[in-house]
């Protein structure tokens, strides 16, 4: 048992302030446990979204000492003993109350993306995928939609370009569809013109904060940018594309 | 709870609640790259001491034209187009490096890793993760002026040509006046080309062109596509692209320094040729 000090932002969309709480911390606790103890002992009206406490639901995203993290995966023993722990809601999304933000904008972006479009079934009625093809897109399917990447992306966070760029999470979704061996939908033009791949300046903060360690930039966004180059900026690739025709429907 | 209400997050430039030394990485990388740029610019304008038989500085390779009167200049036989033209403006030093450095420079400046580092270090968009970026009225990312970054794969083609040229230079460094041998300079030149090859062939654009562009690695017959094999191998290099970028860049600078010091007679090259 050791007493620790927390500065938790309390408020709503009209504003608020940091409130200091001192609570006892037990061995093995994570930040989300500490928040629950604050709710139990000091502030029963403190709002915090959470669900699985196992780093798999993506609900308890917050900014802990300035870093976007999952509260349930941030161990208390990762801080110095006398360190004051500052907890804030995500910056990129509107605050509902205390640590809870309105992330519904993300769901709207998801709806804009054309889903997987399979080709007609082969004669035996079975689609076939090999493990080597599954491996690449499997990485993208690990996403738990915590939106830490959306939160840390400066295009959304500081430049406020939500109308231009769908953000790293949905670039990863687009990559998982575009690189799917059975997909027949062509999204490249939209990736450039509507989803805003050019707004990403690949500073890799999305990769740095991803709790699932998805290589968002290297394996998702940069390959999509290269596909956009193939289609729009590389005269040789454009010529080859015209000669050999489109593999996917437009 | 009687305090004045404030916003949860500041919008002021460089504001953050991070308690770590977030500024250290952008400051260190920004300073390191600046040092390299200052050194290469200085070395480029020297227009001399870039050759110490049989070693040629990588900053001056390939030697397109030679001013034989310059101290430490390469023999005219090394130059692709002979001696320096008489019409060359007097205010510009007749430096072969001025004619060739644009290739590697363009490759590095459009490289996805370098973009990450200089957007952070020099343009503060953002300076570090979760640190407020430099405010811009109408941020365009790489859709406006920076659209030119899309030429990266063409700069890659140029960079690959340089790898072969520098490999030839390293090969020639084994022969001094036709006599086979080896010196410290030979080893430095060989390491230089190996490091540059690891950086160049781990490039994101190269990874895409060799296999990443494919949607299916097993089509049409279920057998592994050659592109998948190449993609996997390039991926192992690409995972450490930052490391190769820095090490190869520093080594290029060191290689030039070594050749320069040997050419000026400041350092002695230990070798099997006995001089």
């Amino acid at each position: 048992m050791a007493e620790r000090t927390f500065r938790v932002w309390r408020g709503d969309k009209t504003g608020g302030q940091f409130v200091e709480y001192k609570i006892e911390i037990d061995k093995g606790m994570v930040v989300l446990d500490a928040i629950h103890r604050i709710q139990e002992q000091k502030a029963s009206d403190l709002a915090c979204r959470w669900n699985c406490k196992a780093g798999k639901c993506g609900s308890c995203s917050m900014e802990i000492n300035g870093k976007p993290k999952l509260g349930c995966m941030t161990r208390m023993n990762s801080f110095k003993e006398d360190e004051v722990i500052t907890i804030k809601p995500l910056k990129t999304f509107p605050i509902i109350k205390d640590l809870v933000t309105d992330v519904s904008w993300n769901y709207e972006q998801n709806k804009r993306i054309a889903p997987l479009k399979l080709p007609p079934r082969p004669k035996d009625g079975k689609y076939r995928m090999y493990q080597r093809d599954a491996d690449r897109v499997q990485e993208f399917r690990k996403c738990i939609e915590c939106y830490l990447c959306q939160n840390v992306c400066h295009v959304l966070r500081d430049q406020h370009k939500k109308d231009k760029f769908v953000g790293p999470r949905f670039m990863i979704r687009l990559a998982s569809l575009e690189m799917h061996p059975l997909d027949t939908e062509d999204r490249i033009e939209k990736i450039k013109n509507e989803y805003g791949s050019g707004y990403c300046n690949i500073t890799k903060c999305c990769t740095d904060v991803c709790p699932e360690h998805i290589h968002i930039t290297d394996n998702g966004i940069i390959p999509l940018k290269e596909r956009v180059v193939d289609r729009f900026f590389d005269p040789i690739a454009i010529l080859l594309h015209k000669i050999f025709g489109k593999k996917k429907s437009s | 709870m009687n305090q004045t209400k404030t916003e949860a997050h500041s919008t002021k430039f460089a504001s953050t609640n991070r308690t770590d030394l977030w500024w250290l990485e952008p400051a260190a990388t920004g300073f390191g790259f600046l040092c390299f740029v200052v050194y290469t610019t200085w070395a480029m304008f020297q227009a001399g001491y870039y050759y110490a038989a049989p070693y040629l500085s990588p900053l001056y390779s390939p030697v397109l034209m030679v001013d034989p009167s310059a101290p430490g200049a390469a023999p005219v036989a090394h130059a692709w187009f002979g001696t320096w033209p008489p019409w060359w403006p007097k205010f510009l030093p007749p430096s072969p490096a001025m004619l060739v450095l644009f290739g590697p420079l363009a490759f590095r400046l459009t490289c996805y890793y370098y973009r990450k580092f200089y957007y952070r270090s020099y343009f503060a968009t953002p300076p570090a993760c979760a640190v407020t970026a430099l405010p811009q009225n109408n941020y365009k990312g790489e859709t406006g002026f920076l659209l030119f970054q899309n030429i990266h794969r063409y700069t890659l083609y140029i960079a690959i040509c340089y790898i072969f040229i520098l490999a030839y230079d390293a090969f020639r460094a084994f022969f001094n006046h036709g006599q086979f041998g080896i010196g410290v300079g030979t080893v430095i030149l060989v390491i230089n080309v190996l490091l540059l090859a690891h950086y160049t062939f781990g490039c994101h654009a190269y990874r895409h062109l060799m296999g990443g562009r494919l949607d299916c690695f097993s089509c049409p017959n279920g057998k592994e596509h050659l592109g998948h094999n190449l993609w996997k191998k390039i991926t192992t290099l690409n995972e450490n692209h930052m490391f190769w970028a820095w090490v190869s860049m520093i080594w290029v600078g060191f290689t030039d320094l070594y050749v320069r010091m040997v050419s000026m007679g400041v350092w002695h090259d230990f070798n099997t040729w006995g001089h």
Side-chain angles (χ1 to χ4, degrees):
Chain A
M1 295 276 278
E3 189 180 75
R4 304 298 298 265
T5 306
F6 291 82
R7 286 175 71 237
V8 183
W9 196 85
R10 303 291 312 272
D12 54 28
K13 62 184 177 186
T14 63
Q17 64 278 312
F18 283 101
V19 180
E20 198 169 288
Y21 301 102
K22 291 181 188 294
I23 58 164
E24 295 291 326
I25 294 296
D26 300 329
K27 194 176 176 184
M29 282 176 75
V30 294
V31 169
L32 184 59
D33 293 325
I35 290 169
H36 286 160
R37 186 157 289 178
I38 292 169
Q39 288 175 325
E40 179 193 345
Q41 298 177 354
K42 309 275 184 176
S44 59
D45 61 341
L46 170 62
C48 172
R49 188 184 280 127
W50 68 282
N51 193 0
C52 76
K53 282 186 75 177
K56 289 296 166 195
C57 73
S59 301
C60 60
S61 299
M62 56 186 74
E63 298 196 6
I64 304 167
N65 279 357
K67 288 187 178 177
K69 288 184 174 182
L70 294 179
C72 70
M73 299 303 285
T74 307
R75 299 181 70 87
M76 285 302 303
N77 64 7
S78 64
F79 303 101
K80 291 178 199 156
E81 285 187 4
D82 58 345
E83 192 172 355
V84 176
I85 297 157
T86 303
I87 304 176
K88 298 204 296 191
L90 302 181
K91 182 180 181 181
T92 301
F93 304 108
I95 295 170
I96 297 174
K97 186 175 184 297
D98 301 337
L99 302 178
V100 178
T101 54
D102 177 4
V103 294
S104 59
W105 175 81
N106 294 291
Y107 310 138
E108 298 305 317
Q109 304 318 300
N110 202 30
K111 287 178 195 166
R112 292 170 59 200
I113 296 172
L116 188 75
K117 186 176 168 187
L118 293 169
R121 283 187 182 276
K123 284 180 183 171
D124 63 2
K126 294 175 183 171
Y127 290 116
R128 284 179 178 78
M129 267 181 75
Y130 291 82
Q131 189 58 49
R132 67 178 74 90
D133 291 313
D135 284 343
R136 179 165 57 164
V137 289
Q138 191 65 36
E139 179 189 11
F140 308 139
R141 304 286 294 187
K142 291 194 302 181
C143 176
I144 58 172
E145 297 204 313
C146 61
Y147 301 128
L148 289 178
C149 58
Q150 301 286 80
N151 177 57
V152 82
C153 172
H154 79 101
V155 182
L156 307 174
R157 181 185 178 95
D158 300 323
Q159 315 296 353
H160 310 293
K161 290 292 177 187
K162 285 190 182 133
D163 57 333
K164 302 284 188 189
F165 182 47
V166 292
R169 189 284 167 263
F170 297 103
M171 294 304 282
I172 279 298
R173 172 152 164 72
L174 285 159
S176 75
L177 293 165
E178 279 299 303
M179 296 176 197
H180 195 293
L182 295 176
D183 179 59
T184 59
E185 184 72 28
D186 185 351
R187 303 170 191 80
I188 296 298
E189 191 175 337
K190 284 188 174 179
I191 286 171
K192 172 180 174 281
N193 296 329
E194 294 182 26
Y195 306 139
S197 60
Y199 280 85
C200 170
N201 67 344
I202 41 145
T203 42
K204 292 182 87 166
C205 289
C206 50
T207 304
D208 288 352
V209 301
C210 179
E212 286 294 314
H213 308 293
I214 301 169
H215 295 90
I216 299 173
T217 326
D218 290 324
N219 291 349
I221 298 178
I222 293 174
L224 287 181
K225 276 177 168 268
E226 285 296 315
R227 286 172 186 230
V228 167
V229 174
D230 282 343
R231 183 72 59 87
F232 294 100
F233 300 110
D234 181 349
I236 296 172
I238 292 168
L239 187 66
L240 291 173
H241 186 70
K242 284 192 186 298
I243 293 170
F244 294 108
K246 293 177 182 177
K247 286 181 180 175
K248 291 185 166 188
S249 60
S250 297
Chain B
M1 298 286 277
N2 291 327
Q3 300 165 36
T4 310
K5 280 192 171 185
T6 59
E7 296 290 325
H9 299 274
S10 170
T11 53
K12 280 173 64 179
F13 172 55
S15 62
T16 183
N17 281 99
R18 284 180 62 168
T19 53
D20 58 339
L21 301 176
W22 61 264
W23 49 267
L24 188 60
E25 185 187 322
T29 51
F31 179 72
F33 187 70
L34 187 66
C35 289
F36 178 77
V37 169
V38 168
Y39 176 78
T40 47
T41 307
W42 173 83
M44 179 179 77
F45 280 108
Q46 294 310 297
Y49 296 116
Y50 58 86
Y51 184 79
Y55 313 134
L56 175 64
S57 162
L59 296 182
Y60 283 73
S61 182
V63 180
L64 297 183
M65 292 182 289
V66 161
D67 175 9
S69 64
V76 177
H78 270 62
W80 289 17
F81 303 112
T83 54
W84 211 264
W87 49 261
W88 187 258
K90 295 286 182 204
F91 64 89
L92 283 176
S95 170
M98 292 177 70
L99 306 177
V100 296
L101 271 181
F102 79 92
L105 184 70
F107 180 57
R108 291 203 183 243
L109 284 182
T110 57
C111 162
Y112 285 102
Y113 165 68
Y114 279 85
R115 277 143 81 175
K116 172 204 164 183
F117 123 72
Y118 65 69
Y119 286 142
R120 284 192 188 193
S121 295
Y122 299 147
F123 296 94
T125 52
C129 302
V131 177
T132 305
L134 194 66
Q136 295 184 23
N137 287 334
N138 188 18
Y139 173 82
K140 286 186 168 16
E142 296 183 341
T143 63
F145 170 71
L146 293 172
L147 204 62
F148 74 83
Q149 301 281 25
N150 290 309
I151 65 164
H152 184 52
R153 67 176 57 171
Y154 282 90
T155 65
L156 165 72
Y157 301 147
I158 296 169
I160 290 173
C161 294
Y162 275 76
I163 294 294
F164 287 104
I165 291 166
L166 293 174
Y168 180 64
D169 289 344
F171 173 74
R172 285 181 68 157
F174 284 97
F175 299 92
N176 195 359
H177 301 294
Q179 187 187 353
F180 178 78
I182 189 168
V184 173
T186 315
V187 175
I188 290 172
L189 258 66
V190 168
I191 292 173
N192 181 54
V193 76
L194 287 175
L195 293 176
L196 284 170
H198 278 74
Y199 168 59
T200 306
F201 293 119
C203 160
H204 291 85
Y206 188 67
R207 182 177 179 234
H208 169 77
L209 292 166
M210 290 295 106
R213 64 192 166 76
L214 299 168
D215 290 337
C216 179
F217 292 137
S218 310
C219 298
N221 52 13
K223 289 183 181 169
E224 184 179 16
H225 195 286
L226 173 66
H228 180 242
N229 212 336
L230 291 169
W231 178 79
K232 278 193 301 184
K233 288 184 168 63
I234 296 165
T235 297
T236 58
L237 285 178
N238 181 261
E239 284 168 347
N240 298 300
H241 201 44
M242 179 182 77
F243 171 79
W244 296 118
W246 277 101
V247 171
S248 62
M249 188 183 81
I250 292 166
W251 199 265
V252 166
F254 172 69
T255 307
D256 177 81
L257 180 70
Y258 185 83
V259 174
R260 188 169 297 282
M261 291 295 109
V262 173
S263 179
M264 292 170 76
V266 178
W267 289 352
H268 176 73
D269 178 61
F270 292 96
N271 57 55
T272 59
W273 296 293
H275 53 79

Short mmCIF file of all heavy atoms in Angstrom, two decimals, chain B residues 49-68:
data_model
loop_
_atom_site.label_atom_id
_atom_site.label_comp_id
_atom_site.label_asym_id
_atom_site.label_seq_id
_atom_site.Cartn_x
_atom_site.Cartn_y
_atom_site.Cartn_z
N TYR B 49 41.08 17.26 -52.83
CA TYR B 49 41.39 16.26 -51.79
C TYR B 49 40.27 15.22 -51.66
O TYR B 49 39.91 14.82 -50.55
CB TYR B 49 41.64 16.94 -50.43
CG TYR B 49 42.86 17.84 -50.45
CD1 TYR B 49 42.71 19.21 -50.25
CD2 TYR B 49 44.14 17.32 -50.69
CE1 TYR B 49 43.81 20.04 -50.29
CE2 TYR B 49 45.24 18.16 -50.73
CZ TYR B 49 45.08 19.52 -50.53
OH TYR B 49 46.17 20.34 -50.58
N TYR B 50 39.70 14.84 -52.78
CA TYR B 50 38.65 13.82 -52.76
C TYR B 50 39.15 12.49 -53.31
O TYR B 50 38.39 11.53 -53.42
CB TYR B 50 37.41 14.27 -53.53
CG TYR B 50 37.66 14.63 -54.98
CD1 TYR B 50 37.64 13.66 -55.98
CD2 TYR B 50 37.93 15.95 -55.35
CE1 TYR B 50 37.87 13.97 -57.31
CE2 TYR B 50 38.16 16.28 -56.67
CZ TYR B 50 38.14 15.29 -57.65
OH TYR B 50 38.38 15.61 -58.96
N TYR B 51 40.42 12.45 -53.67
CA TYR B 51 40.99 11.23 -54.23
C TYR B 51 42.36 10.96 -53.61
O TYR B 51 43.20 11.86 -53.51
CB TYR B 51 41.12 11.36 -55.75
CG TYR B 51 41.61 10.08 -56.42
CD1 TYR B 51 40.74 9.02 -56.66
CD2 TYR B 51 42.94 9.94 -56.81
CE1 TYR B 51 41.19 7.86 -57.27
CE2 TYR B 51 43.40 8.78 -57.42
CZ TYR B 51 42.50 7.74 -57.66
OH TYR B 51 42.94 6.59 -58.25
N ALA B 52 42.53 9.73 -53.15
CA ALA B 52 43.85 9.29 -52.66
C ALA B 52 44.02 7.87 -53.19
O ALA B 52 43.38 6.96 -52.68
CB ALA B 52 43.89 9.31 -51.13
N ALA B 53 44.80 7.73 -54.24
CA ALA B 53 44.88 6.46 -54.98
C ALA B 53 45.01 5.27 -54.03
O ALA B 53 45.86 5.29 -53.13
CB ALA B 53 46.06 6.50 -55.95
N PRO B 54 44.13 4.26 -54.17
CA PRO B 54 43.08 4.12 -55.18
C PRO B 54 41.67 4.46 -54.66
O PRO B 54 40.70 3.91 -55.14
CB PRO B 54 43.17 2.62 -55.49
CG PRO B 54 43.50 1.99 -54.16
CD PRO B 54 44.33 3.00 -53.41
N TYR B 55 41.60 5.35 -53.68
CA TYR B 55 40.31 5.63 -53.04
C TYR B 55 39.67 6.90 -53.58
O TYR B 55 40.33 7.92 -53.70
CB TYR B 55 40.48 5.78 -51.52
CG TYR B 55 41.32 4.69 -50.86
CD1 TYR B 55 42.31 5.03 -49.94
CD2 TYR B 55 41.11 3.34 -51.17
CE1 TYR B 55 43.07 4.05 -49.33
CE2 TYR B 55 41.88 2.36 -50.56
CZ TYR B 55 42.86 2.72 -49.65
OH TYR B 55 43.62 1.75 -49.05
N LEU B 56 38.36 6.79 -53.85
CA LEU B 56 37.59 7.96 -54.30
C LEU B 56 36.49 8.22 -53.29
O LEU B 56 35.76 7.30 -52.89
CB LEU B 56 36.98 7.66 -55.68
CG LEU B 56 36.04 8.72 -56.26
CD1 LEU B 56 36.78 10.03 -56.51
CD2 LEU B 56 35.39 8.22 -57.54
N SER B 57 36.36 9.48 -52.88
CA SER B 57 35.31 9.83 -51.91
C SER B 57 33.93 9.56 -52.51
O SER B 57 33.66 9.94 -53.66
CB SER B 57 35.42 11.30 -51.53
OG SER B 57 34.20 11.72 -50.95
N PRO B 58 33.02 8.96 -51.74
CA PRO B 58 31.67 8.71 -52.27
C PRO B 58 30.89 9.99 -52.55
O PRO B 58 29.95 9.97 -53.34
CB PRO B 58 31.00 7.89 -51.16
CG PRO B 58 31.79 8.16 -49.93
CD PRO B 58 33.18 8.45 -50.37
N LEU B 59 31.27 11.09 -51.91
CA LEU B 59 30.56 12.35 -52.18
C LEU B 59 30.88 12.87 -53.58
O LEU B 59 30.15 13.70 -54.12
CB LEU B 59 30.95 13.42 -51.15
CG LEU B 59 30.57 13.15 -49.69
CD1 LEU B 59 30.99 14.32 -48.82
CD2 LEU B 59 29.08 12.90 -49.54
N TYR B 60 31.97 12.41 -54.17
CA TYR B 60 32.41 12.90 -55.48
C TYR B 60 32.21 11.85 -56.58
O TYR B 60 32.68 12.06 -57.71
CB TYR B 60 33.89 13.31 -55.42
CG TYR B 60 34.11 14.65 -54.75
CD1 TYR B 60 33.96 14.80 -53.39
CD2 TYR B 60 34.45 15.76 -55.51
CE1 TYR B 60 34.15 16.03 -52.78
CE2 TYR B 60 34.66 17.00 -54.92
CZ TYR B 60 34.50 17.13 -53.55
OH TYR B 60 34.69 18.35 -52.96
N SER B 61 31.55 10.76 -56.26
CA SER B 61 31.40 9.69 -57.24
C SER B 61 29.99 9.65 -57.79
O SER B 61 29.03 9.78 -57.03
CB SER B 61 31.71 8.35 -56.56
OG SER B 61 31.63 7.31 -57.49
N PRO B 62 29.82 9.49 -59.09
CA PRO B 62 30.85 9.32 -60.11
C PRO B 62 31.50 10.66 -60.48
O PRO B 62 30.83 11.69 -60.45
CB PRO B 62 30.07 8.76 -61.30
CG PRO B 62 28.71 9.34 -61.15
CD PRO B 62 28.45 9.40 -59.67
N VAL B 63 32.78 10.60 -60.83
CA VAL B 63 33.49 11.82 -61.25
C VAL B 63 33.12 12.08 -62.71
O VAL B 63 33.53 11.34 -63.60
CB VAL B 63 35.02 11.64 -61.09
CG1 VAL B 63 35.74 12.90 -61.54
CG2 VAL B 63 35.35 11.31 -59.65
N LEU B 64 32.33 13.10 -62.92
CA LEU B 64 31.89 13.39 -64.30
C LEU B 64 32.96 14.19 -65.03
O LEU B 64 33.29 13.92 -66.18
CB LEU B 64 30.57 14.16 -64.29
CG LEU B 64 29.38 13.41 -63.67
CD1 LEU B 64 28.11 14.24 -63.80
CD2 LEU B 64 29.17 12.05 -64.34
N MET B 65 33.52 15.20 -64.35
CA MET B 65 34.58 16.02 -64.94
C MET B 65 35.62 16.32 -63.88
O MET B 65 35.30 16.39 -62.70
CB MET B 65 34.00 17.31 -65.50
CG MET B 65 33.10 17.09 -66.71
SD MET B 65 32.44 18.59 -67.40
CE MET B 65 31.29 19.11 -66.17
N VAL B 66 36.86 16.54 -64.34
CA VAL B 66 37.97 16.74 -63.40
C VAL B 66 38.71 18.03 -63.74
O VAL B 66 38.93 18.35 -64.91
CB VAL B 66 38.94 15.54 -63.49
CG1 VAL B 66 40.30 15.88 -62.91
CG2 VAL B 66 38.37 14.34 -62.74
N ASP B 67 39.07 18.74 -62.68
CA ASP B 67 40.01 19.86 -62.83
C ASP B 67 41.36 19.33 -62.37
O ASP B 67 41.61 19.24 -61.16
CB ASP B 67 39.56 21.03 -61.97
CG ASP B 67 40.57 22.17 -61.98
OD1 ASP B 67 41.52 22.11 -62.80
OD2 ASP B 67 40.42 23.11 -61.17
N PRO B 68 42.24 18.94 -63.30
CA PRO B 68 43.49 18.28 -62.89
C PRO B 68 44.41 19.16 -62.07
O PRO B 68 45.31 18.66 -61.37
CB PRO B 68 44.16 17.89 -64.22
CG PRO B 68 43.33 18.46 -65.31
CD PRO B 68 42.13 19.12 -64.74
#
